[in-house]
Amino acid sequence: MQYPEPIAKLIDSYMKLPGIGSKTATRLAFYTIDMPKEDVGDFAKSLMAAKNDLHYCSICGNITEDDPCDICRDKNRDQSTIIVVEQPKDVMALEKMNDYHGLYHVLHGVLSPMEGLGPDDINIKSLILRLQKTPVKEVIVATNATPEGEATAMYISRLIKPAGIRVTRLAHGLSVGSDIEYADEMTLLKAVEGRQEM
Amino acid sequence: MQYPEPIAKLIDSYMKLPGIGSKTATRLAFYTIDMPKEDVGDFAKSLMAAKNDLHYCSICGNITEDDPCDICRDKNRDQSTIIVVEQPKDVMALEKMNDYHGLYHVLHGVLSPMEGLGPDDINIKSLILRLQKTPVKEVIVATNATPEGEATAMYISRLIKPAGIRVTRLAHGLSVGSDIEYADEMTLLKAVEGRQEM
């Protein structure tokens, strides 16, 4: 005996999401049936809206409803600094600081020979073209502190530096509020290397 | 800075699902944007279909597109035996045995004083009415082997037995293929109590 077709299809749909296997998908599908009808309707609508109304900004690659995005259109922002990040989520994280008023560039990935991702598979070309068109003083590379993120940062730095643009990388060190006891060796090493006068 | 509205709404929708917090919801929402358009369309459609086309069978409470459900309409099935389960998923699990040809009754929950769930909150009344209308020889109580499941089984047994209907409970014991070494004490105790001649 099979599940009735509507629920079998819904289970299949949930299983297409990352990290959701058949057991979780089944649980979510049965939960959906018991949800208020308007919540399910909202869910279906928001799925379609997110897919249809959102685009990538043609300048920075960030996710946006309008093109160019709010940040690229804002002439009050410092046009001479660009932070390079891996994902749109990283832009949100950095904006939460409320302290940076420059621009962004979203790579949508990192160089990863293991996954067959080369320079043409991420938004590097559009960054170079952008730097050729507009006068930028500093590029801050804020890729993740992973081997792939470091390699990507190094690659971008080598491409941009010859043009006389300052290229910097976010500092590595201890998280604020963290215990030295629980820090890993690599982080401690970076924290010692990057020590500052006080 | 906030996420663009379509993605913020989608994150909210994902967060209404059980076990999905804001981090996972954000991850799923960004993943959804990168999914093929037709997959997202199918997902939205299957959500609506599951909510609109599925109902609970008016006889047994199982989930179904047609009322009564396939099992209740099947006159070839043994009409004199009913297995009582907690959830529609349990019906599917028992049907996979391919060895039981009687009927089912889905309680949609268990008695749980902690959660304020009494006999009126689960499908017990419809079970009693069903037993008064149709001649049933045996009711097999297949609620889960949890304290709530056991209490519910006991409650149902006390209600039904006076009517002269045989009430049985699924056997407790070792799972097939399991190691005694890893079995918990309660399971071992039940396995010894329920030992059989060989």
Side-chain angles (χ1 to χ4, degrees), chain A residues 1 3-7 10 13-14 16-18 26-28 30-35 37 39-44 46-52 54 56 63 65 71 88-89 92 95, chain B residues 1 3-7 10 13-14 16-18 26-28 30-35 37 39-44 46-52 54 56 63 65 71 88-89 92 95:
Chain A
M1 192 194 166
Y3 284 110
E5 201 198 324
I7 198 157
L10 183 56
S13 286
Y14 274 124
K16 286 193 180 144
L17 298 173
T26 306
R27 191 166 55 89
L28 293 177
F30 275 99
Y31 184 87
T32 308
I33 296 169
D34 290 334
M35 272 166 72
K37 195 164 183 164
D39 280 3
V40 178
D42 284 350
F43 190 4
S46 62
L47 277 169
M48 295 309 291
K51 187 67 200 170
N52 293 330
L54 290 176
Y56 294 127
I63 209 149
E65 282 182 273
I71 296 177
K89 279 180 274 192
M92 306 294 158
E95 281 295 285
Chain B
M1 190 194 165
Y3 283 109
E5 201 198 324
I7 199 159
L10 183 55
S13 286
Y14 274 124
K16 286 191 180 144
L17 298 173
T26 308
R27 192 166 54 88
L28 292 178
F30 275 99
Y31 184 87
T32 308
I33 295 168
D34 290 334
M35 271 166 72
K37 195 163 186 169
D39 279 3
V40 178
D42 283 350
F43 190 4
S46 63
L47 278 168
M48 295 308 293
K51 187 67 199 170
N52 293 330
L54 289 177
Y56 295 128
I63 209 151
E65 281 183 274
I71 296 176
K89 281 180 271 192
M92 305 294 157
E95 281 294 286

Coordinates of all heavy atoms in Angstrom, one line a residue, chain A residues 1 3-7 10 13-14 16-18 26-28 30-35 37 39-44 46-52 54 56 63 65 71 88-89 92 95, chain B residues 1 3-7 10 13-14 16-18 26-28 30-35 37 39-44 46-52 54 56 63 65 71 88-89 92 95:
Chain A
M1 N 0.8 -1.2 0.0 CA 0.0 0.0 0.0 C 0.9 1.3 0.0 O 1.9 1.3 0.7 CB -0.9 0.0 1.3 CG -2.0 1.1 1.1 SD -2.8 1.4 2.7 CE -3.6 2.9 2.3
Y3 N 1.2 5.7 0.1 CA 0.5 6.8 0.6 C -0.4 7.4 -0.5 O -0.1 7.2 -1.7 CB 1.5 7.9 1.0 CG 2.2 7.7 2.3 CD1 3.6 7.3 2.3 CD2 1.6 7.8 3.5 CE1 4.2 7.1 3.5 CE2 2.2 7.5 4.7 CZ 3.6 7.2 4.7 OH 4.2 7.0 5.8
P4 N -1.5 8.1 -0.1 CA -2.3 8.7 -1.2 C -1.4 9.7 -2.0 O -0.5 10.2 -1.4 CB -3.4 9.5 -0.4 CG -3.5 8.8 1.0 CD -2.1 8.3 1.2
E5 N -1.7 9.8 -3.3 CA -0.9 10.5 -4.2 C -0.5 12.0 -3.7 O 0.7 12.3 -3.8 CB -1.5 10.6 -5.6 CG -0.4 10.9 -6.6 CD -1.0 11.3 -7.9 OE1 -2.1 10.8 -8.3 OE2 -0.4 12.2 -8.6
P6 N -1.5 12.8 -3.2 CA -1.1 14.1 -2.8 C 0.0 14.1 -1.7 O 0.9 15.0 -1.8 CB -2.4 14.7 -2.3 CG -3.5 13.9 -2.9 CD -2.9 12.5 -3.1
I7 N -0.1 13.2 -0.8 CA 0.9 13.2 0.3 C 2.2 12.7 -0.2 O 3.3 13.1 0.1 CB 0.4 12.5 1.6 CG1 1.3 13.0 2.7 CG2 0.4 11.1 1.5 CD1 0.6 12.9 4.1
L10 N 4.0 15.5 -2.0 CA 4.5 16.4 -1.0 C 5.7 15.9 -0.3 O 6.7 16.7 -0.2 CB 3.4 16.8 0.0 CG 3.8 17.9 1.0 CD1 4.2 19.2 0.3 CD2 2.6 18.2 1.9
S13 N 8.5 16.4 -2.7 CA 8.9 17.8 -2.7 C 9.8 18.2 -1.5 O 10.9 18.8 -1.7 CB 7.7 18.8 -2.8 OG 7.1 18.7 -4.0
Y14 N 9.4 17.8 -0.3 CA 10.2 18.1 0.8 C 11.6 17.4 0.7 O 12.6 18.0 1.2 CB 9.5 17.6 2.1 CG 8.5 18.6 2.7 CD1 7.2 18.3 2.9 CD2 8.9 19.9 3.0 CE1 6.3 19.2 3.5 CE2 8.0 20.8 3.6 CZ 6.7 20.4 3.8 OH 5.8 21.3 4.3
K16 N 13.4 17.1 -1.7 CA 14.3 17.8 -2.6 C 15.1 18.9 -1.9 O 16.1 19.4 -2.4 CB 13.6 18.4 -3.8 CG 13.1 17.4 -4.8 CD 12.6 18.0 -6.1 CE 12.2 16.9 -7.0 NZ 11.1 17.2 -7.8
L17 N 14.7 19.2 -0.6 CA 15.4 20.2 0.2 C 16.6 19.6 0.8 O 16.6 18.4 1.1 CB 14.4 20.8 1.3 CG 13.2 21.5 0.8 CD1 12.3 21.9 1.9 CD2 13.6 22.8 0.0
P18 N 17.7 20.4 1.0 CA 18.9 19.9 1.5 C 18.8 19.4 3.0 O 18.1 20.1 3.8 CB 19.9 21.0 1.4 CG 19.0 22.2 1.5 CD 17.7 21.9 0.8
T26 N 8.4 12.9 5.5 CA 7.1 12.3 5.8 C 6.5 13.0 7.0 O 5.3 13.4 7.0 CB 7.2 10.8 6.2 OG1 7.9 10.2 5.1 CG2 5.9 10.1 6.4
R27 N 7.3 13.3 8.0 CA 6.8 14.0 9.2 C 6.3 15.4 8.8 O 5.3 15.8 9.3 CB 8.0 14.1 10.2 CG 7.6 14.6 11.6 CD 8.7 14.3 12.6 NE 10.0 14.9 12.2 CZ 10.4 16.1 12.5 NH1 9.6 16.9 13.2 NH2 11.5 16.6 12.1
L28 N 7.1 16.1 8.0 CA 6.7 17.5 7.6 C 5.4 17.4 6.8 O 4.6 18.3 6.9 CB 7.8 18.1 6.8 CG 9.1 18.4 7.5 CD1 10.2 19.0 6.6 CD2 8.9 19.4 8.7
F30 N 2.9 15.2 6.9 CA 1.8 15.0 7.7 C 1.5 16.2 8.6 O 0.3 16.6 8.8 CB 2.0 13.8 8.6 CG 1.6 12.5 8.0 CD1 2.5 11.7 7.4 CD2 0.3 12.1 7.8 CE1 2.2 10.5 6.7 CE2 -0.1 11.0 7.2 CZ 0.9 10.1 6.6
Y31 N 2.6 16.9 9.0 CA 2.4 18.1 9.8 C 1.6 19.2 8.9 O 0.7 19.9 9.4 CB 3.7 18.7 10.2 CG 3.6 19.9 11.1 CD1 3.4 19.8 12.5 CD2 3.6 21.2 10.6 CE1 3.3 20.9 13.3 CE2 3.5 22.3 11.4 CZ 3.3 22.1 12.7 OH 3.2 23.2 13.5
T32 N 2.0 19.3 7.6 CA 1.4 20.2 6.7 C -0.1 20.0 6.6 O -0.8 21.0 6.6 CB 2.1 20.1 5.3 OG1 3.5 20.1 5.4 CG2 1.6 21.2 4.4
I33 N -0.5 18.8 6.6 CA -1.9 18.5 6.4 C -2.7 19.0 7.6 O -3.9 19.4 7.5 CB -2.1 17.0 6.3 CG1 -1.5 16.5 5.0 CG2 -3.6 16.6 6.3 CD1 -1.4 15.0 4.8
D34 N -2.1 19.0 8.8 CA -2.7 19.5 10.0 C -2.6 21.0 10.2 O -3.2 21.5 11.1 CB -2.2 18.7 11.2 CG -2.7 17.3 11.2 OD1 -3.7 17.0 10.6 OD2 -2.0 16.4 11.8
M35 N -1.8 21.7 9.3 CA -1.6 23.1 9.5 C -2.9 23.9 9.1 O -3.6 23.4 8.3 CB -0.4 23.6 8.6 CG 0.9 23.5 9.3 SD 2.3 23.7 8.1 CE 2.1 25.5 7.7
K37 N -5.3 26.1 7.0 CA -5.3 26.3 5.5 C -4.6 27.5 5.0 O -3.9 27.5 4.0 CB -6.8 26.2 5.0 CG -6.9 26.0 3.6 CD -8.3 25.6 3.2 CE -8.4 25.3 1.8 NZ -9.7 24.6 1.4
D39 N -2.1 29.1 6.4 CA -0.7 29.0 6.6 C -0.1 28.3 5.4 O 1.0 28.6 4.8 CB -0.3 28.3 7.9 CG -0.4 29.2 9.1 OD1 -0.7 30.4 8.9 OD2 0.0 28.8 10.2
V40 N -0.8 27.2 5.0 CA -0.3 26.4 3.8 C -0.4 27.2 2.6 O 0.6 27.3 1.7 CB -1.1 25.1 3.7 CG1 -0.6 24.3 2.5 CG2 -1.0 24.2 4.9
G41 N -1.5 28.0 2.4 CA -1.6 28.9 1.3 C -0.5 29.9 1.2 O 0.1 30.2 0.2
D42 N -0.2 30.5 2.4 CA 0.9 31.5 2.5 C 2.2 30.9 2.1 O 3.1 31.5 1.4 CB 1.0 32.1 3.9 CG -0.1 33.1 4.2 OD1 -0.8 33.5 3.3 OD2 -0.2 33.5 5.4
F43 N 2.4 29.7 2.6 CA 3.7 28.9 2.3 C 3.8 28.8 0.8 O 4.9 29.1 0.2 CB 3.6 27.6 3.0 CG 4.9 26.8 3.0 CD1 6.1 27.4 2.5 CD2 5.0 25.6 3.6 CE1 7.3 26.6 2.5 CE2 6.2 24.8 3.6 CZ 7.3 25.4 3.1
A44 N 2.8 28.3 0.1 CA 2.8 28.0 -1.3 C 3.1 29.4 -2.0 O 3.9 29.4 -3.0 CB 1.5 27.4 -1.8
S46 N 4.5 32.1 -0.8 CA 5.9 32.7 -0.6 C 6.9 31.9 -1.3 O 7.9 32.5 -1.7 CB 6.2 32.7 0.9 OG 6.2 31.4 1.5
L47 N 6.7 30.6 -1.6 CA 7.6 29.8 -2.4 C 7.7 30.4 -3.8 O 8.8 30.7 -4.4 CB 7.2 28.4 -2.5 CG 7.5 27.4 -1.4 CD1 6.8 26.1 -1.5 CD2 9.0 27.1 -1.4
M48 N 6.5 30.6 -4.4 CA 6.4 31.2 -5.8 C 7.0 32.6 -5.8 O 7.7 32.9 -6.8 CB 5.0 31.2 -6.3 CG 4.4 29.8 -6.4 SD 5.4 28.6 -7.4 CE 5.4 29.3 -9.0
A49 N 6.7 33.4 -4.8 CA 7.1 34.8 -4.8 C 8.7 34.8 -4.7 O 9.3 35.6 -5.4 CB 6.5 35.6 -3.7
A50 N 9.2 34.0 -3.8 CA 10.7 34.0 -3.6 C 11.4 33.6 -4.9 O 12.4 34.2 -5.3 CB 11.1 33.1 -2.5
K51 N 10.8 32.7 -5.6 CA 11.4 32.2 -6.9 C 11.2 33.2 -8.0 O 12.1 33.5 -8.8 CB 10.7 30.9 -7.3 CG 11.4 30.2 -8.5 CD 12.8 29.8 -8.2 CE 13.6 29.5 -9.4 NZ 15.1 29.3 -9.1
N52 N 10.0 33.9 -8.1 CA 9.7 34.8 -9.2 C 10.1 36.2 -9.0 O 10.5 36.9 -10.0 CB 8.2 34.8 -9.5 CG 7.7 33.4 -10.0 OD1 8.5 32.7 -10.6 ND2 6.5 33.0 -9.7
L54 N 12.5 37.5 -6.8 CA 13.9 37.8 -6.4 C 14.9 37.5 -7.6 O 14.8 36.6 -8.3 CB 14.3 36.9 -5.2 CG 13.6 37.3 -3.9 CD1 14.0 36.3 -2.8 CD2 14.0 38.7 -3.5
Y56 N 19.3 38.3 -8.8 CA 20.6 38.8 -8.4 C 20.9 40.1 -9.0 O 20.6 40.4 -10.2 CB 21.7 37.7 -8.8 CG 21.5 36.4 -8.1 CD1 21.4 35.2 -8.9 CD2 21.3 36.3 -6.8 CE1 21.2 34.0 -8.3 CE2 21.2 35.1 -6.1 CZ 21.1 34.0 -6.9 OH 20.9 32.7 -6.2
I63 N 21.2 39.4 -3.6 CA 19.8 39.0 -3.9 C 19.0 40.3 -3.7 O 19.2 41.0 -2.7 CB 19.4 37.8 -3.0 CG1 18.4 37.0 -3.7 CG2 19.0 38.3 -1.6 CD1 18.5 35.6 -3.3
E65 N 15.0 42.5 -4.9 CA 13.8 42.6 -5.7 C 13.9 43.5 -6.9 O 13.4 43.3 -8.0 CB 12.6 43.1 -4.8 CG 12.0 42.0 -3.9 CD 10.9 42.6 -3.1 OE1 11.1 43.2 -2.0 OE2 9.7 42.5 -3.6
I71 N 21.6 48.6 -2.0 CA 23.0 49.0 -1.6 C 23.7 49.7 -2.8 O 24.3 50.8 -2.7 CB 23.8 47.8 -1.1 CG1 23.1 47.3 0.2 CG2 25.2 48.2 -0.8 CD1 23.8 46.1 0.8
P88 N 25.0 35.8 -0.4 CA 24.1 36.9 0.0 C 23.9 37.0 1.5 O 23.9 38.0 2.1 CB 22.8 36.6 -0.7 CG 23.1 35.8 -1.9 CD 24.3 35.0 -1.5
K89 N 23.9 35.8 2.2 CA 23.7 35.7 3.6 C 24.8 36.5 4.3 O 24.6 37.1 5.4 CB 23.7 34.3 4.1 CG 22.4 33.6 4.0 CD 22.5 32.1 4.5 CE 23.1 31.2 3.4 NZ 22.9 29.8 3.7
M92 N 24.2 40.2 4.6 CA 23.2 40.5 5.8 C 24.0 40.5 7.1 O 23.8 41.4 7.9 CB 22.1 39.4 5.8 CG 21.3 39.2 4.6 SD 20.4 40.7 4.1 CE 20.2 40.4 2.3
E95 N 26.1 43.6 7.3 CA 25.2 44.8 7.4 C 24.7 45.0 8.8 O 24.4 46.1 9.3 CB 24.0 44.8 6.5 CG 24.3 45.1 5.0 CD 24.8 46.6 4.9 OE1 23.9 47.5 5.0 OE2 26.0 46.9 4.8
Chain B
M1 N 19.7 46.4 8.1 CA 19.2 46.0 6.8 C 18.4 44.6 7.0 O 18.9 43.7 7.7 CB 20.3 45.8 5.9 CG 19.8 45.5 4.5 SD 21.1 44.9 3.4 CE 20.1 44.3 2.0
Y3 N 16.3 41.2 5.1 CA 16.2 40.5 3.9 C 15.1 41.1 3.0 O 14.1 41.6 3.5 CB 15.9 39.0 4.2 CG 17.0 38.2 4.7 CD1 17.1 37.8 6.0 CD2 18.1 37.8 3.9 CE1 18.1 37.1 6.5 CE2 19.1 37.1 4.4 CZ 19.2 36.7 5.7 OH 20.2 36.0 6.2
P4 N 15.2 40.9 1.7 CA 14.1 41.4 0.8 C 12.8 40.7 1.2 O 12.9 39.5 1.7 CB 14.6 41.0 -0.6 CG 16.0 40.8 -0.5 CD 16.4 40.4 0.9
E5 N 11.7 41.3 1.1 CA 10.5 40.8 1.7 C 10.1 39.4 1.2 O 9.8 38.5 2.0 CB 9.3 41.7 1.4 CG 8.1 41.5 2.3 CD 6.8 42.1 1.7 OE1 6.9 43.2 1.1 OE2 5.8 41.5 1.9
P6 N 10.3 39.0 -0.1 CA 9.9 37.7 -0.5 C 10.7 36.6 0.3 O 10.1 35.6 0.6 CB 10.2 37.6 -2.0 CG 10.2 39.0 -2.4 CD 10.7 39.8 -1.3
I7 N 12.0 36.8 0.5 CA 12.7 35.8 1.2 C 12.4 35.8 2.7 O 12.4 34.7 3.3 CB 14.2 35.9 0.9 CG1 14.9 34.6 1.2 CG2 14.9 37.0 1.6 CD1 16.2 34.4 0.5
L10 N 9.3 33.8 3.1 CA 9.6 32.4 2.9 C 10.3 31.8 4.1 O 10.0 30.7 4.6 CB 10.4 32.1 1.6 CG 10.7 30.7 1.2 CD1 9.4 29.9 1.1 CD2 11.5 30.6 0.0
S13 N 7.7 31.2 6.6 CA 6.9 30.0 6.3 C 7.6 28.7 6.7 O 7.1 27.8 7.3 CB 6.6 29.9 4.8 OG 5.6 30.9 4.5
Y14 N 8.9 28.6 6.4 CA 9.7 27.4 6.7 C 9.8 27.3 8.3 O 9.8 26.2 8.8 CB 11.1 27.5 6.2 CG 11.2 27.0 4.7 CD1 11.8 27.8 3.7 CD2 10.9 25.7 4.4 CE1 11.9 27.3 2.4 CE2 11.0 25.2 3.1 CZ 11.5 26.0 2.1 OH 11.6 25.6 0.9
K16 N 7.6 27.8 10.4 CA 6.4 27.3 11.0 C 6.4 25.7 11.0 O 5.6 25.1 11.6 CB 5.1 27.7 10.2 CG 4.8 29.2 10.5 CD 3.5 29.6 10.0 CE 3.3 31.1 10.3 NZ 2.6 31.8 9.3
L17 N 7.3 25.1 10.3 CA 7.4 23.7 10.3 C 8.1 23.2 11.5 O 9.0 23.9 12.1 CB 8.2 23.2 9.0 CG 7.6 23.5 7.7 CD1 8.5 23.2 6.5 CD2 6.2 22.8 7.5
P18 N 7.8 22.0 12.0 CA 8.4 21.5 13.3 C 9.9 21.2 13.1 O 10.3 20.6 12.1 CB 7.6 20.2 13.6 CG 7.1 19.8 12.2 CD 6.9 21.0 11.4
T26 N 16.5 29.8 7.0 CA 17.3 30.7 6.1 C 18.0 29.9 5.0 O 18.0 30.3 3.8 CB 18.3 31.6 6.9 OG1 17.6 32.2 7.9 CG2 18.9 32.6 6.0
R27 N 18.6 28.8 5.5 CA 19.3 28.0 4.5 C 18.4 27.4 3.5 O 18.7 27.4 2.3 CB 20.0 26.8 5.3 CG 21.0 26.0 4.5 CD 21.9 25.2 5.5 NE 21.1 24.3 6.3 CZ 20.7 23.1 6.0 NH1 21.0 22.6 4.9 NH2 19.9 22.4 6.9
L28 N 17.2 26.9 3.9 CA 16.2 26.3 3.0 C 15.7 27.4 2.0 O 15.5 27.1 0.8 CB 15.1 25.7 3.8 CG 15.4 24.5 4.6 CD1 14.2 24.0 5.3 CD2 16.0 23.3 3.7
F30 N 17.2 30.2 0.9 CA 18.2 30.5 -0.1 C 18.3 29.3 -1.1 O 18.5 29.5 -2.3 CB 19.6 30.9 0.5 CG 19.6 32.3 0.9 CD1 19.4 32.7 2.2 CD2 19.9 33.3 0.0 CE1 19.5 34.0 2.6 CE2 20.0 34.6 0.3 CZ 19.7 35.0 1.6
Y31 N 18.2 28.1 -0.6 CA 18.3 27.0 -1.4 C 17.1 27.0 -2.4 O 17.3 26.7 -3.6 CB 18.3 25.7 -0.6 CG 18.5 24.4 -1.4 CD1 19.7 23.9 -1.7 CD2 17.3 23.7 -1.9 CE1 19.9 22.8 -2.5 CE2 17.5 22.6 -2.7 CZ 18.8 22.1 -3.0 OH 18.9 21.0 -3.8
T32 N 15.9 27.4 -1.9 CA 14.7 27.4 -2.8 C 14.9 28.3 -3.9 O 14.5 28.0 -5.1 CB 13.5 27.9 -1.9 OG1 13.4 27.1 -0.8 CG2 12.2 27.7 -2.7
I33 N 15.6 29.5 -3.7 CA 15.8 30.4 -4.8 C 16.6 29.9 -5.9 O 16.5 30.2 -7.0 CB 16.4 31.7 -4.2 CG1 15.4 32.4 -3.2 CG2 16.8 32.7 -5.3 CD1 16.0 33.5 -2.4
D34 N 17.6 29.0 -5.5 CA 18.4 28.4 -6.5 C 17.9 27.1 -7.2 O 18.5 26.5 -8.0 CB 19.8 28.1 -5.9 CG 20.6 29.4 -5.6 OD1 20.3 30.4 -6.3 OD2 21.4 29.4 -4.7
M35 N 16.7 26.7 -6.7 CA 16.1 25.5 -7.2 C 15.5 25.8 -8.6 O 15.1 26.9 -8.9 CB 14.9 25.0 -6.3 CG 15.4 24.0 -5.2 SD 14.1 23.8 -4.0 CE 12.9 22.8 -4.8
K37 N 12.9 26.3 -11.4 CA 11.6 26.9 -11.3 C 10.4 25.9 -11.2 O 9.5 26.1 -10.4 CB 11.3 27.9 -12.5 CG 10.2 28.9 -12.2 CD 10.3 30.0 -13.2 CE 9.2 31.0 -12.9 NZ 9.4 32.3 -13.6
D39 N 10.5 22.8 -10.1 CA 10.5 22.1 -8.8 C 9.8 23.0 -7.8 O 9.1 22.5 -7.0 CB 12.0 21.9 -8.4 CG 12.5 20.6 -9.1 OD1 11.8 20.1 -9.9 OD2 13.7 20.3 -8.7
V40 N 10.1 24.3 -7.8 CA 9.4 25.2 -6.8 C 7.9 25.2 -7.1 O 7.1 25.1 -6.2 CB 10.0 26.6 -6.9 CG1 9.3 27.5 -5.9 CG2 11.5 26.6 -6.5
G41 N 7.6 25.3 -8.4 CA 6.1 25.3 -8.7 C 5.5 24.0 -8.3 O 4.4 24.0 -7.7
D42 N 6.1 22.8 -8.5 CA 5.6 21.5 -8.0 C 5.4 21.5 -6.5 O 4.4 21.0 -6.0 CB 6.5 20.4 -8.4 CG 6.4 20.1 -9.9 OD1 5.5 20.6 -10.6 OD2 7.3 19.3 -10.4
F43 N 6.4 22.1 -5.8 CA 6.4 22.1 -4.4 C 5.1 22.9 -3.9 O 4.3 22.4 -3.1 CB 7.7 22.8 -3.9 CG 7.9 22.7 -2.4 CD1 7.1 22.0 -1.6 CD2 9.0 23.3 -1.8 CE1 7.3 21.9 -0.2 CE2 9.2 23.2 -0.4 CZ 8.4 22.5 0.3
A44 N 5.0 24.1 -4.5 CA 3.8 24.9 -4.1 C 2.5 24.2 -4.4 O 1.6 24.2 -3.6 CB 3.9 26.3 -4.8
S46 N 2.0 20.9 -4.7 CA 1.8 19.8 -3.8 C 1.4 20.2 -2.4 O 0.6 19.4 -1.8 CB 3.1 18.9 -3.8 OG 4.2 19.5 -3.3
L47 N 1.9 21.3 -2.0 CA 1.4 21.8 -0.7 C -0.1 22.0 -0.7 O -0.8 21.6 0.2 CB 2.1 23.1 -0.3 CG 3.5 23.1 0.3 CD1 4.1 24.5 0.3 CD2 3.5 22.5 1.7
M48 N -0.6 22.7 -1.7 CA -2.0 23.0 -1.8 C -2.8 21.8 -2.0 O -3.9 21.6 -1.4 CB -2.3 24.0 -3.0 CG -1.7 25.4 -2.8 SD -2.0 26.2 -1.2 CE -3.8 26.5 -1.4
A49 N -2.3 20.9 -2.8 CA -3.0 19.6 -3.1 C -3.2 18.8 -1.8 O -4.2 18.2 -1.5 CB -2.3 18.8 -4.2
A50 N -2.1 18.7 -1.1 CA -2.1 17.9 0.1 C -3.1 18.4 1.1 O -3.8 17.7 1.8 CB -0.7 17.8 0.8
K51 N -3.2 19.8 1.2 CA -4.1 20.4 2.1 C -5.5 20.3 1.6 O -6.4 20.0 2.4 CB -3.7 21.9 2.3 CG -4.5 22.6 3.4 CD -4.2 22.1 4.7 CE -5.2 22.4 5.8 NZ -5.1 21.7 7.0
N52 N -5.8 20.5 0.3 CA -7.1 20.5 -0.2 C -7.7 19.2 -0.5 O -8.9 19.0 -0.4 CB -7.2 21.4 -1.5 CG -6.9 22.9 -1.1 OD1 -7.2 23.3 0.0 ND2 -6.3 23.6 -2.1
L54 N -6.8 16.0 0.6 CA -6.7 14.9 1.6 C -7.7 15.2 2.7 O -7.9 16.3 3.2 CB -5.3 14.8 2.1 CG -4.3 14.2 1.1 CD1 -2.9 14.2 1.8 CD2 -4.7 12.8 0.7
Y56 N -9.7 13.0 6.3 CA -9.7 11.9 7.2 C -10.9 11.0 6.8 O -12.0 11.5 6.7 CB -9.7 12.3 8.6 CG -8.4 13.0 9.0 CD1 -8.4 14.2 9.6 CD2 -7.2 12.4 8.7 CE1 -7.3 14.9 10.0 CE2 -6.0 13.1 9.0 CZ -6.0 14.3 9.7 OH -4.9 14.9 10.0
I63 N -6.0 8.8 6.6 CA -5.9 9.8 5.6 C -6.2 9.3 4.3 O -5.8 8.2 3.9 CB -4.5 10.5 5.7 CG1 -4.5 11.9 5.3 CG2 -3.5 9.7 4.9 CD1 -3.5 12.7 6.0
E65 N -7.9 10.3 0.0 CA -8.5 11.2 -1.0 C -10.0 11.0 -1.1 O -10.7 12.0 -1.3 CB -7.8 11.0 -2.4 CG -6.4 11.5 -2.5 CD -5.9 11.3 -3.9 OE1 -5.3 10.2 -4.2 OE2 -6.1 12.2 -4.8
I71 N -9.2 1.2 2.3 CA -9.3 0.0 3.1 C -10.7 -0.3 3.6 O -11.2 -1.4 3.6 CB -8.3 0.2 4.3 CG1 -6.8 0.3 3.8 CG2 -8.4 -0.9 5.3 CD1 -5.8 0.5 4.9
P88 N -1.9 8.0 11.1 CA -2.0 7.4 9.8 C -0.7 6.7 9.3 O -0.7 5.7 8.6 CB -2.3 8.6 8.8 CG -2.9 9.6 9.7 CD -2.3 9.4 11.1
K89 N 0.5 7.3 9.7 CA 1.7 6.7 9.4 C 1.8 5.2 9.9 O 2.5 4.4 9.2 CB 2.9 7.4 10.0 CG 3.3 8.7 9.3 CD 4.4 9.4 10.0 CE 3.9 10.4 11.0 NZ 4.9 11.3 11.6
M92 N 0.3 2.8 7.4 CA 1.3 2.5 6.3 C 2.3 1.4 6.8 O 2.6 0.5 6.0 CB 2.0 3.7 5.9 CG 1.1 4.9 5.5 SD 0.1 4.5 4.0 CE -1.2 5.7 4.3
E95 N 0.7 -2.0 7.0 CA 0.3 -2.5 5.7 C 1.5 -3.0 4.9 O 1.4 -3.9 4.1 CB -0.3 -1.4 4.8 CG -1.8 -1.1 5.2 CD -2.7 -2.3 4.8 OE1 -2.9 -2.5 3.6 OE2 -3.1 -3.0 5.7

